[in-house]
């Protein structure tokens, strides 16, 4: 495979008085630099997920809005932000289809949460509210390209290889939700010192790597963050 096609589900964004289908430039630029061809996947018609899934070799699940809690069997807490259930339904279907077809995935922030939900896990709707002890500032006020809290990386994980054996890594953080009950198909491969889940990977293969932080906002200054995208394109080429 020369240049793999990477599908990126588009968010619904209100611009002026009309809705647009949008993907962040950070992910598009990082995938392109790593040798992939990014393709925007509209998410307004969940019934078309199977048709869209034929169009790409790998799936990038980007950051985005909160996931509607009905997708993991809960009612919304007051701390929930706006959710987009068509985005949720489309991504969940695309993830299931990608697993079935053996297509590699990279999840970023929301992507880590939605991949866990799609495969039978759930999330905290609001970590500050739902975790009993005091958590770190996971919605950082520092600039997005700046790391703000550390994560501890699990030995023997894909992440450890990507970070060349480093176990304690400074990452950025821009989330108020996080993986809670882990999918039986996933393992936890990084967590913050306060116990918040920061990365998950497939248990039995190398199809899925998903991080809770935003490498697309750090990769220009940080070689290991860029290596997350290089590793993804390599996984897609080898699948
Ligand atoms: Mn965090």
């Amino acid at each position: 495979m020369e240049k793999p096609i990477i599908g990126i589900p588009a968010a619904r964004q209100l611009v002026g008085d009309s809705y647009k289908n949008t993907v962040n430039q950070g992910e598009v630029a990082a995938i392109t630099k790593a040798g992939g061809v990014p393709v925007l996947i509209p998410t307004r018609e969940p019934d078309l997920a199977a048709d869209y899934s034929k169009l790409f070799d790998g799936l990038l699940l980007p950051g985005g809005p909160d996931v509607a809690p009905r997708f993991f069997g809960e009612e919304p807490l007051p701390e929930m932000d706006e959710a987009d259930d068509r985005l949720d339904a489309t991504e969940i279907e695309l993830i299931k289809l990608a697993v079935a077809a053996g297509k590699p995935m990279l999840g970023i922030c929301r992507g880590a949460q939605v991949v866990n939900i799609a495969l039978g896990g759930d999330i905290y709707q609001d970590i500050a509210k739902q975790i009993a002890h005091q958590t770190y500032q996971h919605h950082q006020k520092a600039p997005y390209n700046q790391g703000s809290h550390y994560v501890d990386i699990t030995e023997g994980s894909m992440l450890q290889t990507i970070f060349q054996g480093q176990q304690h890594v400074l990452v950025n953080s821009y989330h108020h939700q996080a993986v809670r009950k882990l999918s039986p198909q996933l393992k936890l491969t990084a967590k913050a010192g306060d116990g918040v889940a920061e990365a998950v990977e497939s248990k039995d293969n190398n199809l899925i790597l998903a991080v809770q932080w935003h490498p697309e906002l750090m990769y220009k200054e940080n070689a290991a963050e860029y290596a997350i995208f290089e590793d993804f394109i390599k996984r897609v080429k080898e699948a």
Side-chain angles (χ1 to χ4, degrees):
M1 176 186 314
E2 187 70 1
K3 282 190 170 185
I5 308 296
I6 306 301
I8 309 178
R12 174 193 62 179
Q13 189 181 16
L14 187 60
V15 179
D17 58 1
S18 67
Y19 282 106
K20 313 288 183 187
N21 297 287
T22 62
V23 166
N24 290 326
Q25 175 59 14
E27 284 95 335
V28 168
I31 290 295
T32 304
K33 185 178 178 193
V37 179
V39 169
L40 182 156
I41 307 291
T43 55
R44 297 306 89 197
E45 301 295 339
D47 289 347
L48 293 181
D51 301 290
Y52 284 128
S53 74
K54 296 172 192 156
L55 304 178
F56 54 80
D57 305 305
L59 178 62
L60 186 144
L61 298 152
D66 286 4
V67 182
R70 67 181 172 85
F71 289 102
F72 48 96
E74 291 187 355
E75 298 289 344
L77 297 179
E79 288 76 10
M80 273 281 302
D81 289 328
E82 187 182 349
D84 173 358
D85 62 358
R86 289 182 177 232
L87 174 63
D88 299 335
T90 304
E91 286 192 336
I92 286 169
E93 199 53 33
L94 289 174
I95 291 162
K96 289 177 177 172
L97 290 161
V99 167
K103 291 180 181 178
M105 282 167 266
L106 173 63
I108 292 176
C109 196
R110 166 195 161 90
Q113 297 159 16
V114 78
V115 76
N116 186 53
I117 293 164
L119 302 178
D122 68 18
I123 63 169
Y124 293 106
Q125 294 185 39
D126 183 77
I127 53 179
K129 163 101 172 192
Q130 293 182 286
I131 296 180
H133 63 269
Q134 193 171 352
T135 54
Y136 298 161
Q137 183 187 83
H138 285 277
H139 199 289
Q140 74 183 43
K141 292 170 185 169
Y144 297 157
N145 61 346
Q146 192 174 306
S148 71
H149 72 65
Y150 285 91
V151 297
D152 293 304
I153 296 175
T154 305
E155 198 147 335
S157 61
M158 287 194 276
L159 257 189
Q160 193 193 37
T161 305
I162 290 168
F163 279 86
Q164 299 190 313
Q166 291 181 79
Q167 288 173 337
H168 197 59
V169 173
L170 188 65
V171 299
N172 61 6
S173 192
Y174 193 58
H175 61 108
H176 79 113
Q177 304 195 312
V179 167
R180 182 173 56 186
K181 187 189 84 188
L182 202 54
S183 153
Q185 296 181 48
L186 298 174
K187 58 184 182 184
L188 186 66
T189 62
K191 61 179 181 179
D194 59 2
V196 168
E198 290 280 343
V200 295
E201 298 179 14
S202 322
K203 238 182 197 171
D204 303 322
N205 51 47
N206 65 355
L207 282 187
I208 299 166
L209 168 63
V211 296
Q212 185 57 63
W213 63 92
H214 285 273
E216 84 283 8
L217 301 175
M218 299 183 83
Y219 77 93
K220 286 180 185 168
E221 298 98 343
N222 186 312
E225 298 293 348
Y226 177 58
I228 291 174
F229 294 99
E230 288 183 306
D231 169 80
F232 175 42
I233 297 302
K234 183 163 171 274
R235 285 189 286 123
V236 176
K237 281 184 171 175
E238 290 172 356

